[in-house]
Amino acid sequence: MPEFDVARIDPSGEAVIAGRTAPGATVELLRNGEVHDRAVADKSGQFVMISPKLPAGTYDLTLRSKDPDGKQVTSKQSVAVAIEPKATDAPVVALITPNKPTVVLSQPDSPKLTPGA
């Protein structure tokens, strides 16, 4: 079963995705169910992708792996992403795992209040 270890997404949409799956498996990063990028896991089952830039919008990222023997499995985890059109705002990025609390990995900075405002 493929799993996310890292999902780092910049305001510009550039992303680094890392995780674990079966050794030698081909891993696909799915954006709303469509293939966005792919990598091959090393002998220990670890993989890293520096994916093509994600455009502004909201996405559900999942992983799908295909073992060398042909068995295909989709991750139970997903990463919810919301990238604003302004490239200076940090995107909302949250790791969703069934039966576990959602983990917020990134969110926009809260507005700073000026005294007396």
Side-chain angles (χ1 to χ4, degrees), residues 2-114:
E3 291 186 8
F4 288 95
D5 286 337
V6 173
R8 181 170 295 143
I9 301 168
D10 290 341
S12 66
E14 294 181 25
V16 175
I17 306 295
R20 292 169 276 131
T21 193
T26 298
V27 182
E28 295 175 324
L29 175 66
L30 305 177
R31 183 181 87 194
N32 294 340
E34 300 293 323
V35 176
H36 183 72
D37 199 6
R38 66 176 43 96
V40 176
D42 66 13
K43 291 183 219 175
S44 66
Q46 297 180 349
F47 64 88
V48 175
M49 296 177 203
I50 300 174
S51 77
K53 188 175 175 178
L54 293 163
T58 57
Y59 307 105
D60 183 37
L61 302 178
T62 54
L63 298 170
R64 180 171 60 199
S65 68
K66 186 174 183 181
D67 296 342
D69 64 3
K71 181 181 174 190
Q72 190 168 292
V73 182
T74 302
S75 63
K76 291 184 179 179
Q77 292 178 316
S78 64
V79 173
V81 180
I83 301 173
E84 294 296 323
K86 291 193 316 182
T88 58
D89 294 337
V92 175
V93 181
L95 176 65
I96 302 165
T97 304
N99 303 316
K100 291 188 177 181
T102 297
V103 178
V104 176
L105 304 173
S106 169
Q107 62 185 352
D109 293 331
S110 56
K112 296 194 173 34
L113 298 176
T114 31

